[in-house]
């Protein structure tokens, strides 16, 4: 492994990843703070995105965990997809989005420059949540002389992380945390809690963990303080790379 991952947090689930000369954007959200109706619920964005479409610039691909919820793909994010050469997403998401969207089933692979991008399973809520919350995917990025990076997407299942860990040796885990909760499933977490982010870090054995999806939306129930506290209690503070919006790190 001879290169680092460059990662810049915009806010929410949106971050710019730079690896092996490839530029990737996760779950584009660029809208201003405010209400975003979804079905009979309203998701409230509470912080502006730091990165704009112009400041992101040209990317090689978007890694989109799913398209059906506005905290992962908002109105300006949808418009942005029309400007990128490739959007990797779930098969059902690719059907809905069209354009440059390419659907990947779990364990499907595709090349983006020198990177092999493998879709990996994710579950957006408790066991049995998929019929309600829909298909979601994570990604593993790998390549010669590059760190292997796991991008979880909106996954709440540590058991699926175990399955991923059985197939990949992960150097950097980019975990969507925040313990997102709505009235669905009696308020059960729809993404990793801070405690489960620690458990996922242990399962993966990843030397570095970069959380996303833990601030900027009202339904994220556990923010940076909860993440710091759980990693400190587990004796894993040195693994945690907790970014402020707009901050870039070499990991």
């Amino acid at each position: 492994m001879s290169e680092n991952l460059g990662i810049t947090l915009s806010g929410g689930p949106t971050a710019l990843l730079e690896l092996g000369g490839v530029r990737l954007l996760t779950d584009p959200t660029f809208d201003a703070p405010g209400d975003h109706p979804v079905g009979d619920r309203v998701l409230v964005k509470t912080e502006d995105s730091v990165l704009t479409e112009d400041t992101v610039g040209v990317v090689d691909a978007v890694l989109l965990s799913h398209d059906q919820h506005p905290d992962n793909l908002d109105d300006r994010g949808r418009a942005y997809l029309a400007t990128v050469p490739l959007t990797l997403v779930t098969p059902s998401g690719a059907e809905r989005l069209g354009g440059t969207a390419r659907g990947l089933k779990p364990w499907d692979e595709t090349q983006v420059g020198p990177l092999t991008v493998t879709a990996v399973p994710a579950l957006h809520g408790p066991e049995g949540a998929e019929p309600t919350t829909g298909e979601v995917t994570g990604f593993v990025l790998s390549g010669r002389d590059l760190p292997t990076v796991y991008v979880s997407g909106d996954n709440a299942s540590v058991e699926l992380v175990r399955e991923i860990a059985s197939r990949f040796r992960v150097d950097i885990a980019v975990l969507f945390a925040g313990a997102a909760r709505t009235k669905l499933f009696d308020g059960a977490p729809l993404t990793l809690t801070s405690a489960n982010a620690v458990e996922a870090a242990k399962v993966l054995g990843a030397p570095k963990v970069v959380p996303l999806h833990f601030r900027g939306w009202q339904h994220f129930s556990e923010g940076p303080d909860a993440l710091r506290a759980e990693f400190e209690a587990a004796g894993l503070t040195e693994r945690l790379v907790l970014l402020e919006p707009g901050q870039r790190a070499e990991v």
Side-chain angles (χ1 to χ4, degrees), residues 35 51 77 91 98 114 128 131 137 150 164 182 185 200 208 217 225 229 242 244:
D35 292 355
L51 300 180
T137 189
Y150 167 50
I164 293 159
T182 69
F185 314 115
K208 293 297 179 184
W217 289 80
D225 289 345
L242 199 57
E244 291 288 323

Side-chain angles (χ1 to χ4, degrees), residues 8-82:
T8 307
L9 175 64
S10 177
T14 308
L16 179 64
L17 311 181
E18 298 166 282
L19 182 64
V22 176
R23 305 179 87 244
L24 305 166
L25 190 71
T26 62
D27 290 22
T29 54
F30 297 115
D31 287 359
D35 292 355
H36 288 264
V38 52
D40 60 353
R41 294 164 288 143
V42 175
L43 303 183
V44 181
K45 187 173 185 178
T46 59
E47 296 180 351
D48 216 342
S49 302
V50 173
L51 300 180
T52 67
E53 300 90 329
D54 289 340
T55 55
V56 169
V58 177
V59 297
D60 297 285
V62 164
L63 304 178
L64 179 58
S65 69
H66 61 300
D67 68 304
Q68 60 265 33
H69 299 142
D71 60 317
N72 298 86
L73 184 67
D74 60 17
D75 293 337
R76 282 170 58 182
R78 285 179 183 275
Y80 177 76
L81 294 186

Side-chain angles (χ1 to χ4, degrees), residues 7 9 12 15 173-178 197 209-214 227 231 239-243:
I7 180 165
L9 175 64
V174 179
L175 300 180
F176 286 34
V209 177
V210 187
L212 303 181
H213 195 278
F214 61 89
L227 283 161
F231 274 79
R239 296 197 199 181
L240 182 63
V241 181
L242 199 57
L243 299 176

Side-chain angles (χ1 to χ4, degrees), residues 121-151:
L123 179 63
H124 196 3
E127 195 67 36
E130 187 170 290
T132 301
T133 53
E135 259 191 325
V136 180
T137 189
F139 303 93
V140 170
L141 316 176
S142 57
R144 183 178 177 86
D145 296 326
L146 297 172
T148 297
V149 180
Y150 167 50
V151 181

Side-chain angles (χ1 to χ4, degrees), residues 6 16 19 22 55 87 95 102 104 107 136 167 173 181 202:
L16 179 64
L19 182 64
V22 176
T55 55
T87 297
E95 288 182 10
R102 181 184 303 170
L104 298 177
W107 314 119
V136 180
R167 298 185 181 224
R181 300 178 193 270
K202 291 177 179 178

